[in-house]
Amino acid sequence: MIYEVMTLPGYVAEGLTAEQKDLVSRRRDYWKAQLAGLESKLRYGAALSPADKQLIAKLEASGRSLANVLPGADSRVRSQRGTRERFKRGLEISGRYDLQFRKIFRDAGLPEDLAYLPHVESSFQPAARSSAGAVGMWQFTKAAAKTFMPGGGVVDQRFDPFVSATGAARYLSYAYGKLGDWPAAVTSYNHGIGGMKRAQNQVGKDFARSWRLTTDRHSVSHRATITLNFWRRAR
Protein backbone atom coordinates (compact mmCIF):
# COMPACT_ATOMS: atom_id res chain seq x y z
CA MET A 1 0.00 0.00 0.00
CA ILE A 2 1.51 3.33 -1.08
CA TYR A 3 0.05 6.30 0.78
CA GLU A 4 2.21 9.02 -0.73
CA VAL A 5 5.09 9.54 -3.15
CA MET A 6 7.32 12.42 -2.09
CA THR A 7 9.81 14.56 -3.94
CA LEU A 8 12.60 15.47 -1.56
CA PRO A 9 13.98 19.02 -1.63
CA GLY A 10 17.53 19.66 -2.78
CA TYR A 11 20.11 17.18 -4.02
CA VAL A 12 19.42 13.57 -2.98
CA ALA A 13 22.65 11.74 -2.21
CA GLU A 14 23.20 8.20 -0.87
CA GLY A 15 22.41 9.52 2.60
CA LEU A 16 19.63 12.02 3.33
CA THR A 17 20.28 15.44 4.79
CA ALA A 18 18.84 16.40 8.19
CA GLU A 19 16.18 18.48 6.42
CA GLN A 20 15.20 15.59 4.16
CA LYS A 21 15.06 13.13 7.07
CA ASP A 22 12.88 15.53 9.03
CA LEU A 23 10.45 15.90 6.13
CA VAL A 24 10.18 12.13 5.67
CA SER A 25 9.65 11.67 9.41
CA ARG A 26 6.88 14.27 9.51
CA ARG A 27 5.02 12.75 6.57
CA ARG A 28 5.36 9.28 8.06
CA ASP A 29 3.93 10.55 11.33
CA TYR A 30 1.10 12.25 9.42
CA TRP A 31 0.00 8.98 7.83
CA LYS A 32 0.29 7.12 11.11
CA ALA A 33 -2.02 9.69 12.70
CA GLN A 34 -4.48 9.50 9.79
CA LEU A 35 -4.72 5.72 10.00
CA ALA A 36 -5.00 5.64 13.79
CA GLY A 37 -7.66 8.35 13.67
CA LEU A 38 -9.66 6.53 11.03
CA GLU A 39 -9.53 3.27 12.97
CA SER A 40 -10.77 5.07 16.09
CA LYS A 41 -13.61 6.82 14.24
CA LEU A 42 -14.87 3.57 12.75
CA ARG A 43 -14.66 1.83 16.10
CA TYR A 44 -16.81 4.46 17.83
CA GLY A 45 -19.07 5.38 14.92
CA ALA A 46 -17.78 8.96 14.60
CA ALA A 47 -18.43 11.10 11.53
CA LEU A 48 -15.95 10.68 8.69
CA SER A 49 -14.30 13.58 6.89
CA PRO A 50 -13.76 13.66 3.11
CA ALA A 51 -10.09 12.79 3.77
CA ASP A 52 -11.17 9.76 5.81
CA LYS A 53 -13.39 8.56 2.98
CA GLN A 54 -10.55 8.98 0.48
CA LEU A 55 -8.27 6.94 2.73
CA ILE A 56 -10.90 4.19 3.01
CA ALA A 57 -11.15 4.06 -0.78
CA LYS A 58 -7.36 3.76 -1.03
CA LEU A 59 -7.27 0.93 1.51
CA GLU A 60 -10.13 -0.95 -0.14
CA ALA A 61 -8.46 -0.59 -3.54
CA SER A 62 -5.84 -3.06 -2.29
CA GLY A 63 -8.43 -5.79 -2.83
CA ARG A 64 -8.64 -6.65 0.86
CA SER A 65 -11.48 -5.84 3.21
CA LEU A 66 -11.17 -2.78 5.43
CA ALA A 67 -11.64 -5.01 8.49
CA ASN A 68 -8.47 -6.90 7.55
CA VAL A 69 -6.23 -4.07 6.38
CA LEU A 70 -6.99 -1.20 8.76
CA PRO A 71 -6.40 -2.66 12.27
CA GLY A 72 -2.87 -1.79 13.31
CA ALA A 73 -2.08 -0.19 9.94
CA ASP A 74 -0.64 2.87 11.69
CA SER A 75 2.09 0.70 13.24
CA ARG A 76 3.06 -0.66 9.82
CA VAL A 77 3.72 2.66 8.08
CA ARG A 78 7.23 2.70 6.61
CA SER A 79 9.16 4.94 4.25
CA GLN A 80 11.63 3.90 1.59
CA ARG A 81 13.87 5.51 -0.96
CA GLY A 82 13.32 5.17 -4.67
CA THR A 83 15.63 2.54 -6.11
CA ARG A 84 16.07 3.67 -9.71
CA GLU A 85 19.60 5.05 -9.45
CA ARG A 86 20.74 2.31 -7.11
CA PHE A 87 19.33 -0.35 -9.41
CA LYS A 88 20.99 1.25 -12.43
CA ARG A 89 24.34 1.16 -10.65
CA GLY A 90 23.68 -2.47 -9.76
CA LEU A 91 23.16 -3.30 -13.41
CA GLU A 92 26.52 -1.78 -14.23
CA ILE A 93 28.29 -3.73 -11.49
CA SER A 94 26.52 -7.03 -12.14
CA GLY A 95 28.34 -7.58 -15.41
CA ARG A 96 31.53 -8.30 -13.48
CA TYR A 97 29.92 -11.23 -11.69
CA ASP A 98 27.21 -12.61 -13.95
CA LEU A 99 29.14 -15.45 -15.63
CA GLN A 100 30.74 -16.67 -12.39
CA PHE A 101 27.50 -16.51 -10.43
CA ARG A 102 25.62 -18.35 -13.15
CA LYS A 103 28.24 -21.10 -13.12
CA ILE A 104 27.94 -21.47 -9.34
CA PHE A 105 24.20 -22.03 -9.58
CA ARG A 106 24.46 -24.20 -12.68
CA ASP A 107 27.07 -26.43 -11.01
CA ALA A 108 24.75 -26.72 -8.00
CA GLY A 109 21.92 -27.89 -10.27
CA LEU A 110 19.88 -24.75 -9.65
CA PRO A 111 18.27 -22.22 -12.03
CA GLU A 112 20.96 -19.89 -13.36
CA ASP A 113 18.68 -16.87 -13.09
CA LEU A 114 19.10 -17.01 -9.31
CA ALA A 115 22.28 -15.08 -10.12
CA TYR A 116 20.03 -12.00 -10.34
CA LEU A 117 19.13 -12.16 -6.64
CA PRO A 118 21.72 -9.54 -5.54
CA HIS A 119 19.71 -6.96 -7.52
CA VAL A 120 17.05 -7.45 -4.84
CA GLU A 121 19.37 -7.93 -1.89
CA SER A 122 22.12 -5.36 -2.31
CA SER A 123 22.16 -3.91 -5.84
CA PHE A 124 25.45 -5.82 -6.16
CA GLN A 125 27.16 -3.72 -3.47
CA PRO A 126 29.85 -5.97 -1.89
CA ALA A 127 29.92 -3.97 1.34
CA ALA A 128 26.14 -3.63 1.75
CA ARG A 129 24.80 -3.80 5.31
CA SER A 130 21.24 -4.14 6.54
CA SER A 131 19.64 -3.07 9.79
CA ALA A 132 19.06 -6.77 10.54
CA GLY A 133 22.80 -7.46 10.58
CA ALA A 134 23.04 -9.02 7.12
CA VAL A 135 26.10 -7.99 5.14
CA GLY A 136 27.69 -8.41 1.74
CA MET A 137 26.37 -8.74 -1.76
CA TRP A 138 24.27 -11.79 -0.81
CA GLN A 139 23.16 -10.37 2.56
CA PHE A 140 24.05 -13.19 4.94
CA THR A 141 23.59 -12.90 8.69
CA LYS A 142 26.26 -14.42 10.92
CA ALA A 143 23.94 -17.27 11.89
CA ALA A 144 23.08 -18.14 8.28
CA ALA A 145 26.76 -17.91 7.28
CA LYS A 146 27.71 -20.48 9.92
CA THR A 147 25.23 -22.92 8.38
CA PHE A 148 25.65 -22.29 4.68
CA MET A 149 29.19 -20.85 4.46
CA PRO A 150 31.19 -23.20 6.70
CA GLY A 151 34.94 -22.90 7.12
CA GLY A 152 35.13 -19.16 7.77
CA GLY A 153 38.04 -18.05 9.89
CA VAL A 154 39.20 -14.60 10.92
CA VAL A 155 38.13 -13.07 7.60
CA ASP A 156 34.40 -12.50 7.25
CA GLN A 157 33.58 -14.45 4.09
CA ARG A 158 30.20 -12.78 3.79
CA PHE A 159 31.99 -9.93 2.04
CA ASP A 160 33.42 -12.29 -0.59
CA PRO A 161 30.92 -12.25 -3.49
CA PHE A 162 31.86 -15.71 -4.76
CA VAL A 163 32.05 -17.53 -1.43
CA SER A 164 28.72 -16.01 -0.41
CA ALA A 165 27.21 -16.89 -3.80
CA THR A 166 28.10 -20.51 -3.09
CA GLY A 167 26.48 -20.12 0.32
CA ALA A 168 23.38 -18.68 -1.33
CA ALA A 169 23.24 -21.70 -3.65
CA ARG A 170 23.39 -24.01 -0.63
CA TYR A 171 20.65 -22.07 1.14
CA LEU A 172 18.32 -21.92 -1.87
CA SER A 173 18.78 -25.63 -2.57
CA TYR A 174 17.89 -26.37 1.05
CA ALA A 175 14.90 -23.98 0.98
CA TYR A 176 13.60 -25.53 -2.23
CA GLY A 177 13.82 -28.97 -0.67
CA LYS A 178 11.76 -27.77 2.31
CA LEU A 179 9.19 -25.67 0.44
CA GLY A 180 8.86 -27.51 -2.87
CA ASP A 181 8.74 -24.55 -5.27
CA TRP A 182 11.02 -21.72 -6.35
CA PRO A 183 8.69 -18.79 -5.64
CA ALA A 184 8.52 -19.76 -1.98
CA ALA A 185 12.22 -20.64 -1.79
CA VAL A 186 13.30 -17.28 -3.21
CA THR A 187 10.91 -15.37 -0.94
CA SER A 188 12.18 -17.28 2.08
CA TYR A 189 15.56 -15.66 1.49
CA ASN A 190 14.10 -12.60 3.24
CA HIS A 191 11.15 -14.00 5.18
CA GLY A 192 12.52 -17.33 6.35
CA ILE A 193 11.63 -20.91 5.57
CA GLY A 194 9.43 -21.14 8.66
CA GLY A 195 7.37 -18.12 7.66
CA MET A 196 6.78 -19.42 4.15
CA LYS A 197 5.99 -22.90 5.44
CA ARG A 198 3.35 -21.53 7.79
CA ALA A 199 1.82 -19.55 4.92
CA GLN A 200 1.79 -22.66 2.71
CA ASN A 201 0.06 -24.62 5.46
CA GLN A 202 -2.71 -22.01 5.47
CA VAL A 203 -3.25 -21.44 1.74
CA GLY A 204 -1.36 -24.23 -0.01
CA LYS A 205 0.93 -23.50 -2.96
CA ASP A 206 -0.91 -20.32 -4.00
CA PHE A 207 2.21 -18.14 -3.97
CA ALA A 208 0.51 -14.75 -4.20
CA ARG A 209 -1.64 -15.54 -1.14
CA SER A 210 1.34 -17.02 0.73
CA TRP A 211 3.35 -13.90 -0.01
CA ARG A 212 0.60 -11.65 1.30
CA LEU A 213 0.25 -13.68 4.49
CA THR A 214 3.99 -13.61 5.09
CA THR A 215 4.52 -9.92 4.39
CA ASP A 216 1.53 -9.00 6.55
CA ARG A 217 3.57 -10.31 9.49
CA HIS A 218 6.65 -8.28 8.59
CA SER A 219 7.59 -4.73 7.78
CA VAL A 220 7.33 -4.83 4.01
CA SER A 221 10.42 -3.43 2.34
CA HIS A 222 11.17 -2.92 -1.32
CA ARG A 223 12.93 -6.31 -1.25
CA ALA A 224 9.69 -8.11 -0.49
CA THR A 225 7.84 -6.26 -3.24
CA ILE A 226 10.52 -6.87 -5.85
CA THR A 227 10.67 -10.57 -4.93
CA LEU A 228 7.01 -10.97 -5.90
CA ASN A 229 8.04 -10.29 -9.51
CA PHE A 230 11.52 -11.78 -9.37
CA TRP A 231 10.47 -15.36 -8.70
CA ARG A 232 9.04 -15.85 -12.20
CA ARG A 233 12.57 -15.74 -13.61
CA ALA A 234 13.69 -18.58 -11.36
CA ARG A 235 11.03 -21.11 -12.27
Side-chain angles (χ1 to χ4, degrees):
M1 171 67 63
I2 299 174
Y3 298 107
E4 179 180 357
V5 177
M6 296 174 56
T7 300
L8 296 174
Y11 175 72
V12 181
E14 185 68 21
L16 298 183
T17 65
E19 177 189 8
Q20 291 167 341
K21 288 180 180 178
D22 180 65
L23 177 59
V24 171
S25 178
R26 284 189 281 113
R27 295 308 298 170
R28 187 168 55 240
D29 289 344
Y30 167 81
W31 285 108
K32 287 182 178 181
Q34 292 293 107
L35 289 162
L38 177 60
E39 186 176 359
S40 178
K41 287 180 180 180
L42 291 176
R43 182 183 300 118
Y44 296 107
L48 300 178
S49 69
D52 292 328
K53 295 175 182 178
Q54 289 178 0
L55 183 52
I56 288 174
K58 183 185 288 287
L59 292 167
E60 291 180 333
S62 68
R64 299 164 60 194
S65 70
L66 195 63
N68 287 331
V69 72
L70 182 58
D74 61 306
S75 66
R76 298 191 296 271
V77 175
R78 301 290 184 272
S79 59
Q80 68 181 56
R81 296 276 301 277
T83 60
R84 182 179 61 182
E85 294 303 320
R86 185 178 175 85
F87 189 79
K88 180 180 178 182
R89 178 58 178 155
L91 285 174
E92 295 169 353
I93 299 172
S94 67
R96 308 173 193 169
Y97 301 98
D98 186 64
L99 291 178
Q100 295 97 317
F101 285 175
R102 284 179 173 276
K103 184 178 187 303
I104 287 170
F105 286 104
R106 184 170 62 250
D107 290 349
L110 304 179
E112 290 185 30
D113 281 351
L114 291 171
Y116 291 119
L117 193 54
H119 281 300
V120 179
E121 295 300 314
S122 65
S123 292
F124 282 85
Q125 303 296 320
R129 296 176 180 271
S130 79
S131 58
V135 302
M137 190 176 290
W138 291 89
Q139 289 291 281
F140 271 92
T141 61
K142 285 184 178 180
K146 287 180 180 179
T147 302
F148 298 102
M149 296 167 57
V154 177
V155 177
D156 192 341
Q157 296 187 99
R158 295 179 295 167
F159 290 103
D160 184 311
F162 303 108
V163 174
S164 54
T166 301
R170 292 192 185 105
Y171 171 81
L172 289 164
S173 179
Y174 176 78
Y176 180 78
K178 291 291 185 180
L179 297 168
D181 65 65
W182 283 115
V186 170
T187 306
S188 77
Y189 203 88
N190 284 303
H191 293 288
I193 293 172
M196 293 307 299
K197 194 67 177 176
R198 286 190 294 272
Q200 285 184 338
N201 289 339
Q202 291 185 53
V203 300
K205 295 297 181 72
D206 185 330
F207 173 67
R209 291 181 66 196
S210 296
W211 181 85
R212 284 194 292 269
L213 278 173
T214 306
T215 53
D216 278 350
R217 300 189 185 104
H218 296 76
S219 299
V220 181
S221 66
H222 76 279
R223 291 183 186 178
T225 305
I226 293 171
T227 304
L228 182 62
N229 297 315
F230 171 84
W231 70 267
R232 295 184 179 87
R233 299 191 59 96
R235 286 193 298 181

